[in-house]
Every structure is written in C-alpha cells, then in structure tokens.
Amino acid sequence: MATTVNKQKIVTVLFSKVKKVVSQEQQELPVMEQVIYSICREGSSKEQADEVYQKLIAQFFDWNELRVSSVRELEECFRGMTRPVDRASRVIGFLQELFETTYSFELEFLHKKGLKQATKHLSRYQVSNDYLGAWVTQRALGGHAIPIDPPTLRVSKRLGLIEKTQEQVVEIRNTLEHLIPKAKGVEFTDLISTIGMEYCHEKQPNCAACPLAKECQFATENAKPASKKPAAVVKKSK
Ligand code: SF4
C-alpha cells in the first residue's frame, strides 16, 4: 500500500538526528581543487574523499606532476573506492585539458563570469558531468545545487523525497533543490550521502539501525508485518 510522504518532516529529522553523527568540517578549496575533489567524492563518503584527496596532494609534487603521471600511478591513491581507474583517468584528463587551454592549474577566473557562464564553462570539460558541475557550484561558486550521485539518489528515492519513477538527473536535482534551502545544501549533501554509505546499501539496507527508519517510505512498505499467530503455549511438564 502506498504511504503518504511528509518530505519536510524527513528533512527535519535528517538535519536533527543524522547531523549529530556526521562531521561538519568542510574542505575549503579553490574552484580547480573542488573539481578534483568532486571526482574523489562522487559515490564515496566524505571520509574516503578527504583521505584520497590528501594522498593526491602528499604523494605528488604539484598538479603538473599529477598531470604527467600514469593512470596506474594515480589509481593507487583511489584504491578502496569504486571505479579507481576511471577516477584516476578523469583527474589526469581534466588537468591535461585545463593546462592545454589555460597554461595554468587554476579556475578562479570563473568567479568573475557569473554563475550561469561559470557552470557552462565547467560543463565543457570532457570529464565533466552533472555531479561535478553541481558540486563545484555548491562548494566554490556560491550557487544552489545538490550534486546527485548513486547513494544520494538511492536514499532520496527510498525515503520518498523524489518519485520512484524519476530517472532524469536534472529533474531529480531540481526537485531536491526546490525542497532544500540554499543555506542547507552543503549539509544536506553530506548527511544524505552518509546515510547512503553507512546504512542504505543497495542490496541490504540496514533499516533497523538507520536513524531515518521511522520516516522512511521504503522501510515502512518493506517492514515485516507482525505475526498474528498466538504465541505457542509451552506445556508444563508434570
Ligand atoms: S530506513 Fe532503510 S531504506 Fe530508509 S533510508 Fe534508512 S536504510 Fe535506507
């Protein structure tokens, strides 16, 4: 049976209960660095992304050394994450394209372009995708955007924040951006992704431990009904 979803209540519970267990410390990075960080962060936890980003900084002398490194060398840094080869290729590809077009490793000039032109510029990089554009918009350009990666999508659908039938990432992003105020965008992104990584696994969501279980559409619809059988009477031995 379909359940009625109180989206605002879910969001309120997310900001109150889940916030207590998630680190609110943010990576304050310039625009170019946020592009690299977004490649680390998509589909992974904040802790994983922080760790990998720090490895990239520590193990390579500068961005140029990263640019001329092999995918195999970078792949080591992404070990433990999903798609390490793809992530390594994207970092190298982005640095290469940036260097070929600007002869530098910075994108601070995007601040002067205005949000619309800046996001358009970002979307032209071959490694760009909707997540990357939304992440950089939210973290470095001062715009309102909710980056959608697989954990965010999965949790949003199961909670009922978006429709089960919604598949288009831009439409999903618009729905969430409408629901979440701009000032709460960063927090929402980190909280929902934490739920996705720690409880709401694709195959076996751990609803029993999830702080959002009471408000969750999926958990309610999939809860096992209590048995109506009377408890077996244990005969006393004489
Ligand atoms: S209650 Fe279960 S399905 Fe709902 S968000 Fe939590 S883990 Fe996912």
Side-chain angles (χ1 to χ4, degrees):
M1 193 176 69
T3 47
T4 310
V5 177
N6 185 338
K7 296 182 184 181
Q8 282 306 338
K9 188 170 178 207
I10 295 169
V11 171
T12 304
V13 174
L14 180 74
F15 285 134
S16 56
K17 282 194 191 169
V18 187
K19 188 176 172 177
K20 289 181 191 149
V21 294
V22 176
S23 158
Q24 297 296 302
E25 212 176 294
Q26 300 300 328
Q27 287 265 13
E28 296 285 341
L29 300 171
V31 183
M32 196 289 288
E33 283 79 351
Q34 285 289 8
V35 172
I36 304 281
Y37 187 83
S38 82
I39 295 172
C40 304
R41 186 70 166 84
E42 184 177 356
S44 60
S45 70
K46 182 174 177 297
E47 290 69 28
Q48 284 175 313
D50 286 351
E51 192 185 326
V52 169
Y53 184 79
Q54 289 310 323
K55 272 192 210 166
L56 292 175
I57 302 286
Q59 292 183 15
F60 295 85
F61 178 70
D62 58 13
W63 296 120
N64 194 50
E65 194 190 333
L66 260 164
R67 175 181 73 91
V68 296
S69 296
S70 68
V71 170
R72 196 167 177 170
E73 285 169 299
L74 256 75
E75 186 197 342
E76 287 293 314
C77 296
F78 290 103
R79 193 145 285 173
M81 279 186 171
T82 55
R83 302 175 288 99
V85 174
D86 175 59
R87 291 179 199 264
S89 307
R90 288 180 72 205
V91 168
I92 293 171
F94 166 67
L95 290 172
Q96 183 64 29
E97 193 176 351
L98 181 64
F99 186 72
E100 281 171 4
T101 50
T102 66
Y103 301 105
S104 75
F105 294 105
E106 64 96 13
L107 281 171
E108 291 309 286
F109 62 89
L110 289 184
H111 286 297
K112 294 189 188 141
K113 277 185 175 274
L115 194 53
K116 204 171 172 187
Q117 286 305 315
T119 49
K120 203 170 173 183
H121 181 97
L122 281 174
S123 71
R124 289 198 198 108
Y125 288 97
Q126 284 186 28
V127 303
S128 194
N129 61 15
D130 194 83
Y131 183 93
L132 185 152
W135 180 274
V136 178
T137 298
Q138 184 194 67
R139 306 284 164 143
L141 297 175
H144 184 34
I146 305 288
I148 309 292
D149 62 357
T152 304
L153 177 63
R154 185 167 64 242
V155 179
S156 300
K157 271 197 184 180
R158 286 176 174 170
L159 286 172
L161 294 178
I162 56 173
E163 300 302 320
K164 287 176 191 161
T165 51
Q166 279 184 287
E167 295 296 340
Q168 298 298 320
V169 71
V170 175
E171 187 195 329
I172 291 165
R173 195 157 51 67
N174 287 339
T175 303
L176 292 177
E177 285 163 10
H178 191 68
L179 183 67
I180 308 298
K182 183 184 169 194
K184 294 276 191 185
V186 167
E187 204 178 334
F188 174 82
T189 301
D190 285 342
L191 296 178
I192 204 100
S193 113
T194 300
I195 292 290
M197 298 300 294
E198 293 191 10
Y199 306 98
C200 203
H201 313 299
E202 190 169 357
K203 292 216 169 114
Q204 287 186 315
N206 186 3
C207 301
C210 179
L212 297 174
K214 275 192 194 159
E215 280 67 41
C216 178
Q217 188 180 43
F218 179 95
T220 306
E221 289 174 0
N222 289 279
K224 290 195 181 107
S227 171
K228 287 185 180 163
K229 279 187 184 172
V233 178
V234 181
K235 284 185 184 171
K236 283 183 187 169
S237 55
K238 288 180 183 173

